[in-house]
Amino acid sequence: MKTINGTEIAESILHSLKEKITSLDLHPKLAIVLASDDESSKIYTSMKSKKAESIGIQTELHTLDLKDNNLKETLISKLKQLNDDKEVHGILLQLPLAESIKEYSDEIINTIDPSKDVDGLTAINQGRLMQGLKTFRPATVDAILECIKFTCPNRDEEIEGYLSYLDTFLRGKNVVIINNSNLIGKPLSVLLESYNTSVSVLNKYSLDLKSFTQQADILITATGATSIIDHLDVKDNCTIIDVTSVKKEGQILGDVTISKELEEKVEWITPVPGGVGPLTIACLLRNLVRAIT
């Protein structure tokens, strides 16, 4: 079993971004908006801010008062203000939103100016992605594609955007995605289908997951449930990309249970932590730099 080192790949992307920011004398600014008391969200926003600042991206954090009786209206007003701020090049709305406004997530997300939507979640950017047009891709989706790219035999033969050989590498492969969200599963399936893969998108209600996962050349799992996949659920020489990262009883767990049997069966796997997480931050910041170049 070989490891897809997300931290190493992320550092390479961040190094290139830092060089670009310096050489072009760019002054990118990212506004991060937090409307939740979720502890993980607070940690993620801090991590994103620190990584951004380390490569020359200015950040500003806007934390909303959850006791505000008009929280939805206040949040929408804040996003519109950031849309109009010419010094702000990208807006990141940290998800999930507070329970009191979660039902309005789509309306709130679509308040963001698509040209500043560096997480690629507005309906306009998702629609452009569905049509194969140039747009911001969700950072987690880009991170997963970077992981797949890392497993390609000739991955250093790079051209503009994703790689010409990626189409050849992926063509005909069976890909199973256990996630059907707008953040991951839906946009990722569209992109992978564009490489002529056979994609199955599953969810927490899917029956007999094993019958699908055992056929997957590439298994991408992002359920948040943890420990739902073991060596009996996968085929020989498959690639597993585990997006889940949840702290339980002092441990960071993914969806995959690591065992000697699994290690002997799988060709490539992302570690948890240190896999998709660091790469997601790097891909988000890459979207920001692309927004101003």
Side-chain angles (χ1 to χ4, degrees), residues 113-126:
D113 181 341
S115 70
K116 295 187 179 185
D117 170 31
V118 290
D119 217 8
L121 295 181
T122 59
I124 288 177
N125 282 334
Q126 294 244 327

mmCIF file with all atom_site columns, all heavy atoms in Angstrom, residues 113-126:
data_model
loop_
_atom_site.group_PDB
_atom_site.id
_atom_site.type_symbol
_atom_site.label_atom_id
_atom_site.label_alt_id
_atom_site.label_comp_id
_atom_site.label_asym_id
_atom_site.label_entity_id
_atom_site.label_seq_id
_atom_site.pdbx_PDB_ins_code
_atom_site.Cartn_x
_atom_site.Cartn_y
_atom_site.Cartn_z
_atom_site.occupancy
_atom_site.B_iso_or_equiv
_atom_site.pdbx_formal_charge
_atom_site.auth_seq_id
_atom_site.auth_comp_id
_atom_site.auth_asym_id
_atom_site.auth_atom_id
_atom_site.pdbx_PDB_model_num
ATOM 1   N N   . ASP A 1 113 ? -21.088 36.890 -4.522  1.00 0.00 ? 113 ASP A N   1
ATOM 2   C CA  . ASP A 1 113 ? -20.756 37.212 -5.909  1.00 0.00 ? 113 ASP A CA  1
ATOM 3   C C   . ASP A 1 113 ? -19.986 36.023 -6.504  1.00 0.00 ? 113 ASP A C   1
ATOM 4   O O   . ASP A 1 113 ? -18.949 35.623 -5.968  1.00 0.00 ? 113 ASP A O   1
ATOM 5   C CB  . ASP A 1 113 ? -19.879 38.468 -5.928  1.00 0.00 ? 113 ASP A CB  1
ATOM 6   C CG  . ASP A 1 113 ? -19.494 38.913 -7.323  1.00 0.00 ? 113 ASP A CG  1
ATOM 7   O OD1 . ASP A 1 113 ? -19.569 38.100 -8.270  1.00 0.00 ? 113 ASP A OD1 1
ATOM 8   O OD2 . ASP A 1 113 ? -19.087 40.072 -7.472  1.00 0.00 ? 113 ASP A OD2 1
ATOM 9   N N   . PRO A 1 114 ? -20.466 35.398 -7.601  1.00 0.00 ? 114 PRO A N   1
ATOM 10  C CA  . PRO A 1 114 ? -19.788 34.239 -8.179  1.00 0.00 ? 114 PRO A CA  1
ATOM 11  C C   . PRO A 1 114 ? -18.313 34.484 -8.491  1.00 0.00 ? 114 PRO A C   1
ATOM 12  O O   . PRO A 1 114 ? -17.503 33.557 -8.435  1.00 0.00 ? 114 PRO A O   1
ATOM 13  C CB  . PRO A 1 114 ? -20.586 33.956 -9.452  1.00 0.00 ? 114 PRO A CB  1
ATOM 14  C CG  . PRO A 1 114 ? -21.948 34.487 -9.148  1.00 0.00 ? 114 PRO A CG  1
ATOM 15  C CD  . PRO A 1 114 ? -21.718 35.716 -8.310  1.00 0.00 ? 114 PRO A CD  1
ATOM 16  N N   . SER A 1 115 ? -17.953 35.735 -8.801  1.00 0.00 ? 115 SER A N   1
ATOM 17  C CA  . SER A 1 115 ? -16.548 36.036 -9.108  1.00 0.00 ? 115 SER A CA  1
ATOM 18  C C   . SER A 1 115 ? -15.672 36.024 -7.860  1.00 0.00 ? 115 SER A C   1
ATOM 19  O O   . SER A 1 115 ? -14.443 36.026 -7.964  1.00 0.00 ? 115 SER A O   1
ATOM 20  C CB  . SER A 1 115 ? -16.439 37.397 -9.802  1.00 0.00 ? 115 SER A CB  1
ATOM 21  O OG  . SER A 1 115 ? -16.740 38.452 -8.907  1.00 0.00 ? 115 SER A OG  1
ATOM 22  N N   . LYS A 1 116 ? -16.298 36.011 -6.678  1.00 0.00 ? 116 LYS A N   1
ATOM 23  C CA  . LYS A 1 116 ? -15.555 35.945 -5.412  1.00 0.00 ? 116 LYS A CA  1
ATOM 24  C C   . LYS A 1 116 ? -15.812 34.629 -4.671  1.00 0.00 ? 116 LYS A C   1
ATOM 25  O O   . LYS A 1 116 ? -15.309 34.436 -3.568  1.00 0.00 ? 116 LYS A O   1
ATOM 26  C CB  . LYS A 1 116 ? -15.944 37.126 -4.516  1.00 0.00 ? 116 LYS A CB  1
ATOM 27  C CG  . LYS A 1 116 ? -15.549 38.488 -5.078  1.00 0.00 ? 116 LYS A CG  1
ATOM 28  C CD  . LYS A 1 116 ? -15.794 39.609 -4.072  1.00 0.00 ? 116 LYS A CD  1
ATOM 29  C CE  . LYS A 1 116 ? -15.362 40.961 -4.635  1.00 0.00 ? 116 LYS A CE  1
ATOM 30  N NZ  . LYS A 1 116 ? -15.483 42.051 -3.648  1.00 0.00 ? 116 LYS A NZ  1
ATOM 31  N N   . ASP A 1 117 ? -16.566 33.749 -5.301  1.00 0.00 ? 117 ASP A N   1
ATOM 32  C CA  . ASP A 1 117 ? -16.961 32.479 -4.683  1.00 0.00 ? 117 ASP A CA  1
ATOM 33  C C   . ASP A 1 117 ? -15.839 31.455 -4.841  1.00 0.00 ? 117 ASP A C   1
ATOM 34  O O   . ASP A 1 117 ? -15.921 30.544 -5.657  1.00 0.00 ? 117 ASP A O   1
ATOM 35  C CB  . ASP A 1 117 ? -18.260 31.991 -5.342  1.00 0.00 ? 117 ASP A CB  1
ATOM 36  C CG  . ASP A 1 117 ? -18.641 30.574 -4.959  1.00 0.00 ? 117 ASP A CG  1
ATOM 37  O OD1 . ASP A 1 117 ? -18.324 30.161 -3.820  1.00 0.00 ? 117 ASP A OD1 1
ATOM 38  O OD2 . ASP A 1 117 ? -19.264 29.885 -5.795  1.00 0.00 ? 117 ASP A OD2 1
ATOM 39  N N   . VAL A 1 118 ? -14.779 31.603 -4.049  1.00 0.00 ? 118 VAL A N   1
ATOM 40  C CA  . VAL A 1 118 ? -13.585 30.774 -4.227  1.00 0.00 ? 118 VAL A CA  1
ATOM 41  C C   . VAL A 1 118 ? -13.773 29.336 -3.757  1.00 0.00 ? 118 VAL A C   1
ATOM 42  O O   . VAL A 1 118 ? -12.890 28.500 -3.967  1.00 0.00 ? 118 VAL A O   1
ATOM 43  C CB  . VAL A 1 118 ? -12.360 31.407 -3.535  1.00 0.00 ? 118 VAL A CB  1
ATOM 44  C CG1 . VAL A 1 118 ? -11.912 32.661 -4.270  1.00 0.00 ? 118 VAL A CG1 1
ATOM 45  C CG2 . VAL A 1 118 ? -12.638 31.708 -2.067  1.00 0.00 ? 118 VAL A CG2 1
ATOM 46  N N   . ASP A 1 119 ? -14.910 29.034 -3.134  1.00 0.00 ? 119 ASP A N   1
ATOM 47  C CA  . ASP A 1 119 ? -15.200 27.650 -2.778  1.00 0.00 ? 119 ASP A CA  1
ATOM 48  C C   . ASP A 1 119 ? -16.143 27.002 -3.784  1.00 0.00 ? 119 ASP A C   1
ATOM 49  O O   . ASP A 1 119 ? -16.541 25.847 -3.619  1.00 0.00 ? 119 ASP A O   1
ATOM 50  C CB  . ASP A 1 119 ? -15.789 27.561 -1.367  1.00 0.00 ? 119 ASP A CB  1
ATOM 51  C CG  . ASP A 1 119 ? -15.310 26.324 -0.618  1.00 0.00 ? 119 ASP A CG  1
ATOM 52  O OD1 . ASP A 1 119 ? -14.411 25.636 -1.135  1.00 0.00 ? 119 ASP A OD1 1
ATOM 53  O OD2 . ASP A 1 119 ? -15.827 26.043 0.474   1.00 0.00 ? 119 ASP A OD2 1
ATOM 54  N N   . GLY A 1 120 ? -16.527 27.741 -4.835  1.00 0.00 ? 120 GLY A N   1
ATOM 55  C CA  . GLY A 1 120 ? -17.279 27.171 -5.948  1.00 0.00 ? 120 GLY A CA  1
ATOM 56  C C   . GLY A 1 120 ? -18.635 26.591 -5.598  1.00 0.00 ? 120 GLY A C   1
ATOM 57  O O   . GLY A 1 120 ? -19.053 25.589 -6.169  1.00 0.00 ? 120 GLY A O   1
ATOM 58  N N   . LEU A 1 121 ? -19.361 27.246 -4.700  1.00 0.00 ? 121 LEU A N   1
ATOM 59  C CA  . LEU A 1 121 ? -20.618 26.676 -4.211  1.00 0.00 ? 121 LEU A CA  1
ATOM 60  C C   . LEU A 1 121 ? -21.871 27.396 -4.701  1.00 0.00 ? 121 LEU A C   1
ATOM 61  O O   . LEU A 1 121 ? -22.981 26.904 -4.494  1.00 0.00 ? 121 LEU A O   1
ATOM 62  C CB  . LEU A 1 121 ? -20.618 26.645 -2.679  1.00 0.00 ? 121 LEU A CB  1
ATOM 63  C CG  . LEU A 1 121 ? -19.575 25.737 -2.039  1.00 0.00 ? 121 LEU A CG  1
ATOM 64  C CD1 . LEU A 1 121 ? -19.702 25.784 -0.522  1.00 0.00 ? 121 LEU A CD1 1
ATOM 65  C CD2 . LEU A 1 121 ? -19.713 24.310 -2.544  1.00 0.00 ? 121 LEU A CD2 1
ATOM 66  N N   . THR A 1 122 ? -21.735 28.555 -5.331  1.00 0.00 ? 122 THR A N   1
ATOM 67  C CA  . THR A 1 122 ? -22.932 29.248 -5.810  1.00 0.00 ? 122 THR A CA  1
ATOM 68  C C   . THR A 1 122 ? -23.532 28.485 -6.990  1.00 0.00 ? 122 THR A C   1
ATOM 69  O O   . THR A 1 122 ? -22.844 27.733 -7.690  1.00 0.00 ? 122 THR A O   1
ATOM 70  C CB  . THR A 1 122 ? -22.599 30.685 -6.252  1.00 0.00 ? 122 THR A CB  1
ATOM 71  O OG1 . THR A 1 122 ? -21.608 30.636 -7.288  1.00 0.00 ? 122 THR A OG1 1
ATOM 72  C CG2 . THR A 1 122 ? -22.088 31.512 -5.089  1.00 0.00 ? 122 THR A CG2 1
ATOM 73  N N   . ALA A 1 123 ? -24.827 28.699 -7.198  1.00 0.00 ? 123 ALA A N   1
ATOM 74  C CA  . ALA A 1 123 ? -25.521 27.999 -8.285  1.00 0.00 ? 123 ALA A CA  1
ATOM 75  C C   . ALA A 1 123 ? -24.906 28.327 -9.641  1.00 0.00 ? 123 ALA A C   1
ATOM 76  O O   . ALA A 1 123 ? -24.826 27.457 -10.526 1.00 0.00 ? 123 ALA A O   1
ATOM 77  C CB  . ALA A 1 123 ? -27.004 28.376 -8.266  1.00 0.00 ? 123 ALA A CB  1
ATOM 78  N N   . ILE A 1 124 ? -24.454 29.565 -9.815  1.00 0.00 ? 124 ILE A N   1
ATOM 79  C CA  . ILE A 1 124 ? -23.849 29.955 -11.096 1.00 0.00 ? 124 ILE A CA  1
ATOM 80  C C   . ILE A 1 124 ? -22.561 29.186 -11.337 1.00 0.00 ? 124 ILE A C   1
ATOM 81  O O   . ILE A 1 124 ? -22.343 28.620 -12.419 1.00 0.00 ? 124 ILE A O   1
ATOM 82  C CB  . ILE A 1 124 ? -23.609 31.480 -11.136 1.00 0.00 ? 124 ILE A CB  1
ATOM 83  C CG1 . ILE A 1 124 ? -24.943 32.214 -11.268 1.00 0.00 ? 124 ILE A CG1 1
ATOM 84  C CG2 . ILE A 1 124 ? -22.671 31.854 -12.290 1.00 0.00 ? 124 ILE A CG2 1
ATOM 85  C CD1 . ILE A 1 124 ? -24.845 33.713 -11.235 1.00 0.00 ? 124 ILE A CD1 1
ATOM 86  N N   . ASN A 1 125 ? -21.685 29.122 -10.342 1.00 0.00 ? 125 ASN A N   1
ATOM 87  C CA  . ASN A 1 125 ? -20.427 28.395 -10.529 1.00 0.00 ? 125 ASN A CA  1
ATOM 88  C C   . ASN A 1 125 ? -20.655 26.898 -10.661 1.00 0.00 ? 125 ASN A C   1
ATOM 89  O O   . ASN A 1 125 ? -19.979 26.226 -11.452 1.00 0.00 ? 125 ASN A O   1
ATOM 90  C CB  . ASN A 1 125 ? -19.470 28.701 -9.378  1.00 0.00 ? 125 ASN A CB  1
ATOM 91  C CG  . ASN A 1 125 ? -18.808 30.061 -9.536  1.00 0.00 ? 125 ASN A CG  1
ATOM 92  O OD1 . ASN A 1 125 ? -18.667 30.559 -10.647 1.00 0.00 ? 125 ASN A OD1 1
ATOM 93  N ND2 . ASN A 1 125 ? -18.415 30.669 -8.442  1.00 0.00 ? 125 ASN A ND2 1
ATOM 94  N N   . GLN A 1 126 ? -21.605 26.354 -9.895  1.00 0.00 ? 126 GLN A N   1
ATOM 95  C CA  . GLN A 1 126 ? -21.899 24.920 -10.031 1.00 0.00 ? 126 GLN A CA  1
ATOM 96  C C   . GLN A 1 126 ? -22.518 24.630 -11.394 1.00 0.00 ? 126 GLN A C   1
ATOM 97  O O   . GLN A 1 126 ? -22.236 23.604 -12.015 1.00 0.00 ? 126 GLN A O   1
ATOM 98  C CB  . GLN A 1 126 ? -22.826 24.477 -8.900  1.00 0.00 ? 126 GLN A CB  1
ATOM 99  C CG  . GLN A 1 126 ? -22.178 24.557 -7.525  1.00 0.00 ? 126 GLN A CG  1
ATOM 100 C CD  . GLN A 1 126 ? -22.021 23.222 -6.838  1.00 0.00 ? 126 GLN A CD  1
ATOM 101 O OE1 . GLN A 1 126 ? -22.838 22.331 -6.995  1.00 0.00 ? 126 GLN A OE1 1
ATOM 102 N NE2 . GLN A 1 126 ? -20.965 23.074 -6.067  1.00 0.00 ? 126 GLN A NE2 1
#
